[in-house]
Amino acid sequence: DWKTARAALPYATTSFSMLAFAQIDVLMVSLIESTEFVGRYVPASRLLMVVGTIGGLAASAVLPTASRVYANSSAQEIRALINESVRGILLLGGFAALGTVIVARPAIVTIYGEAYADVSSMLQVGSVYLVFNFATSILATNLTAIGRQGDRARSMLLGLAATIILVLAFVPWFGMIGAISAMVGSELA
């Protein structure tokens, strides 16, 4: 029925956006840069995305609890849970970013080989993405828990649009650092 379908639309939009968002940066870069450029960008981009899933998994673990607290508790209790979860995930994101800086070179060399060692500096620069990524994961979870999935879906679509715009604007001018900056900027958006 239409009412149920309409209520499910934000959830469907979020699911679709997650699928599209995970690859849109590579697709956009491949449209405007050489195959070699894309081949050097992908290792840093994908490793940041993979480490970023830790934040998503942590945030997903909070969702059932946050939903129950929202349904059965006072506004003060839900605020406390949201504040705790945001502080905790920012700390986790900071550790993930720091860990990425420390292991960037060995990870790149182990996975992709010595020929890609220079990409490790881009991975280190892009590690700030993880702080934003972890934060958006928990904020998205909290929006879902309090029944504001529509706001979450709109913010994901904004991030998707920001990725496209920032890649098109930054990559031609700044190259690889522009691609990484577009990734960070779109997560911030």
Side-chain angles (χ1 to χ4, degrees), residues 12-29 46 49 129 136 151-169 182-189:
T13 302
T14 300
S15 297
F16 172 74
S17 296
M18 282 187 209
L19 176 66
F21 195 63
Q23 296 297 317
I24 195 69
D25 62 326
V26 174
L27 176 63
M28 295 307 300
V29 169
R46 292 309 92 182
M49 288 282 190
Y129 161 85
T136 58
D151 291 335
R152 178 182 182 184
R154 281 187 289 282
S155 70
M156 290 185 77
L157 291 173
L158 175 66
L160 188 63
T163 299
I164 294 167
I165 292 166
L166 292 174
V167 165
L168 293 174
M183 192 175 176
V184 172
S186 67
E187 195 64 30
L188 179 60

Side-chain angles (χ1 to χ4, degrees), residues 16-101:
F16 172 74
S17 296
M18 282 187 209
L19 176 66
F21 195 63
Q23 296 297 317
I24 195 69
D25 62 326
V26 174
L27 176 63
M28 295 307 300
V29 169
S30 69
L31 291 174
I32 61 175
E33 284 293 339
S34 69
T35 304
E36 181 183 345
F37 183 98
V38 175
R40 300 201 72 71
Y41 168 69
V42 167
S45 171
R46 292 309 92 182
L47 286 174
L48 289 171
M49 288 282 190
V50 167
V51 175
T53 61
I54 295 168
L57 292 172
S60 294
V62 172
L63 181 57
T65 302
S67 296
R68 279 194 313 275
V69 169
Y70 182 71
N72 300 317
S73 302
S74 69
Q76 183 179 358
E77 290 172 312
I78 190 67
R79 279 190 208 104
L81 178 65
I82 288 172
N83 286 333
E84 283 179 33
S85 64
V86 170
R87 280 195 307 272
I89 205 86
L90 285 173
L91 185 63
L92 186 61
F95 284 133
L98 180 61
T100 300
V101 168

Side-chain angles (χ1 to χ4, degrees), residues 87-167:
R87 280 195 307 272
I89 205 86
L90 285 173
L91 185 63
L92 186 61
F95 284 133
L98 180 61
T100 300
V101 168
I102 293 168
V103 303
R105 182 173 171 78
I108 289 285
V109 170
T110 300
I111 297 167
Y112 296 99
E114 192 65 43
Y116 285 84
D118 62 316
V119 175
S120 64
S121 62
M122 290 299 109
L123 184 58
Q124 290 172 326
V125 168
S127 68
V128 71
Y129 161 85
L130 296 170
V131 175
F132 295 128
N133 178 268
F134 279 44
T136 58
S137 294
I138 198 64
L139 294 173
T141 294
N142 287 326
L143 284 171
T144 299
I146 64 172
R148 295 185 59 185
Q149 183 68 17
D151 291 335
R152 178 182 182 184
R154 281 187 289 282
S155 70
M156 290 185 77
L157 291 173
L158 175 66
L160 188 63
T163 299
I164 294 167
I165 292 166
L166 292 174
V167 165

